Amino acid sequence: MTKLPPSTPGLSRTSVAFPMGGRPVAATVALSIFAGSAWGLDLGAPTPVQVKGKVLQVEAPGLASPGWFDVTGDGKPDLVVGQHANGAVFVYSSNGKGELAKARPVKAKKKPVRIPGVCEVPADFGASVHLTDLDGDGRPDLLCGSNMDVAGGTIQGHMYALMGKGKGFDKPKILQGNAGRPLAMGAGAANPLANTASVPTTVDIDGDGHLDIVSGNTEGTFYLFKGLGKGSFEQQPSALKGSDGPLKVMMNSSPAFVDWDGDGDQDLLSGSGLGGVYLFANTGTLEAPLFAESVTLVEMPAFSLMPPMGLPKVLGPGVHTRVWAGDRNGDGKPDLLVGDKTTLAIPARGVSDERATEAYQAFTAALADLAKSAPNSAVDPNAATKWMAKVKALEKTRDKVVRKVETGLVWEIFQQ
């Protein structure tokens, strides 16, 4: 069960059961309060979503892409999470009291969904998920992005639609524009990186009553495909712009829209490949949006050569963040749901937590001492080779008791 973090400024502490090396470990975790928006709406401590008393983790290499959507049609939002492995999408049904059932795969034609173009290339990309009614038939459809695949002789991060059918979904189909070709961000971009890693969402961005599609990409920009109604979208996209040019995060943009500041229009939120969550406030109107420069809502993680030792040391979202926003606790203010990629160290098989922790601390200290004597490879390449051999020897010793794993977590962050 996930709980609202305390609103006490400074540090909060919460007891969570983490699976560490295959063994549940009761841990007390120190979590920093995250400063919030420019309007003084503070964000509380990030809390990892749990299922049946354990922290939710997607399969390696992680890259969780979450959202709250009513998949079952019972009026209670369920947690939907895409991942890199197998291009799979999972549903965690909710009982409406904050408790989630175990994962079950989203199915199409009675078979688990696999989004094309997600895991075929070894890149940091998880299947993006967004539940919406694309064609206005009253049934929810699943809109997903992909990293890259080939269709029509070009490499694109195509957008896939799984149209609602009965109580489930149809098979993934590439979303077409009104000219009968796949929607492609590259049609309006000079940088080829705008073509790949699509992360689409829907929003009526100009208040004309038609859903539009806005997608992120590897470049970190945002492309708008104007909605024409009944599931039709303009073939030619345009970049979302502010006063200083195209809106942009550092890399791998992942848009979400919500009225963050309560002024009645749609503001843009985004994660990024380097982590963090960013707000582009709409300073225009519902019919004529104008986006301001980005404000950081959640800081990107500090760079470290060493991953944290066990989940209890993970204090907040990692890299490759994906964001969903909405009012989760009924206080009238939108909250954040953030997926990520997290790398951590855990005990090797047969090694106790205590021994692994001691060995990891010793390795970290030894590596720090060794770093002090790092030679300049341009000045003395032989010395640099010998120094690197010492680093490798340290790592070999470490790997006997500690192993590095990649996973993806999902975090809830509430406005206070």
Side-chain angles (χ1 to χ4, degrees):
M1 176 192 296
T2 57
K3 296 181 179 180
L4 273 69
S7 57
T8 307
L11 290 177
S12 62
R13 305 189 75 85
T14 180
S15 182
V16 182
F18 288 94
M20 181 176 178
R23 299 174 293 276
V25 178
T28 301
V29 189
L31 298 172
S32 299
I33 294 295
F34 280 23
S37 72
W39 298 273
L41 301 177
D42 288 339
L43 293 173
T47 304
V49 170
Q50 297 182 61
V51 179
K52 301 295 183 180
K54 294 184 178 180
V55 171
L56 186 160
Q57 299 182 63
V58 302
E59 297 173 86
L63 301 154
S65 181
W68 287 106
F69 307 105
D70 182 9
V71 176
T72 57
D74 61 0
K76 301 170 185 174
D78 309 299
L79 179 61
V80 182
V81 183
Q83 64 175 33
H84 175 87
N86 298 316
V89 181
F90 294 94
V91 176
Y92 300 80
S93 298
S94 170
N95 63 2
K97 299 178 182 178
E99 297 172 338
L100 298 174
K102 291 184 178 180
R104 58 181 177 83
V106 170
K107 294 184 178 182
K109 299 284 189 178
K110 298 183 179 180
K111 294 183 179 180
V113 165
R114 176 172 178 165
I115 307 302
V118 170
C119 65
E120 290 82 357
V121 178
D124 285 330
F125 185 88
S128 68
V129 293
H130 180 69
L131 202 71
T132 185
D133 185 359
L134 281 172
D135 55 5
D137 65 355
R139 291 191 292 264
D141 310 307
L142 189 60
L143 178 62
C144 299
S146 69
N147 182 32
M148 62 177 68
D149 53 355
V150 179
T154 60
I155 297 176
Q156 297 281 352
H158 289 112
M159 303 173 208
Y160 286 86
L162 290 75
M163 305 307 291
K165 190 173 183 179
K167 295 183 179 180
F169 300 99
D170 208 342
K171 292 182 179 179
K173 294 182 179 179
I174 295 176
L175 198 59
Q176 308 281 326
N178 65 332
R181 301 189 305 274
L183 293 181
M185 292 171 287
N191 187 343
L193 291 179
N195 295 352
T196 58
S198 63
V199 182
T201 189
T202 57
V203 60
D204 183 1
I205 201 166
D206 55 7
D208 65 356
H210 298 317
L211 281 180
D212 310 300
I213 290 176
V214 174
S215 181
N217 53 37
T218 304
E219 182 186 40
T221 52
F222 306 89
Y223 276 86
L224 166 67
F225 297 84
K226 283 284 297 169
L228 304 175
K230 297 183 179 180
S232 178
F233 299 91
E234 287 188 0
Q235 192 74 55
Q236 183 72 21
S238 59
L240 287 188
K241 296 181 179 180
S243 57
D244 295 327
L247 305 179
K248 195 176 187 299
V249 296
M250 290 185 183
M251 58 185 292
N252 291 99
S253 44
S254 58
F257 286 87
V258 71
D259 184 6
W260 183 263
D261 50 14
D263 64 355
D265 55 31
Q266 295 292 310
D267 305 303
L268 170 63
L269 300 175
S270 181
S272 91
L274 298 181
V277 176
Y278 306 92
L279 166 68
F280 298 86
N282 184 353
T283 58
T285 65
L286 184 63
E287 295 76 17
L290 178 65
F291 295 98
E293 293 183 5
S294 67
V295 172
T296 300
L297 297 184
V298 177
E299 296 286 348
M300 69 176 67
F303 175 76
S304 175
L305 291 174
M306 299 301 302
M309 180 64 192
L311 275 172
K313 299 293 186 181
V314 181
L315 307 182
V319 296
H320 289 284
T321 45
R322 298 277 180 83
V323 61
W324 174 96
D327 184 5
R328 284 284 296 143
N329 55 5
D331 65 356
K333 295 179 287 190
D335 308 299
L336 299 178
L337 185 72
V338 183
D340 72 4
K341 176 178 180 177
T342 290
T343 303
L344 63 153
I346 65 172
R349 190 178 300 276
V351 177
S352 69
D353 297 335
E354 183 178 5
R355 182 188 171 201
T357 300
E358 291 176 352
Y360 199 63
Q361 290 173 343
F363 168 77
T364 303
L367 186 62
D369 286 340
L370 190 59
K372 297 175 184 177
S373 60
N376 187 327
S377 58
V379 176
D380 192 343
N382 290 332
T385 299
K386 292 178 181 178
W387 182 86
M388 184 55 68
K390 293 179 181 179
V391 172
K392 294 294 184 183
L394 274 177
E395 291 176 339
K396 188 175 181 180
T397 301
R398 175 204 62 190
D399 292 345
K400 293 178 180 178
V401 290
V402 175
R403 62 190 179 94
K404 188 167 66 172
V405 298
E406 294 177 331
T407 186
L409 308 181
V410 178
W411 302 84
E412 284 195 301
I413 308 175
F414 292 88
Q415 284 204 48
Q416 301 298 292

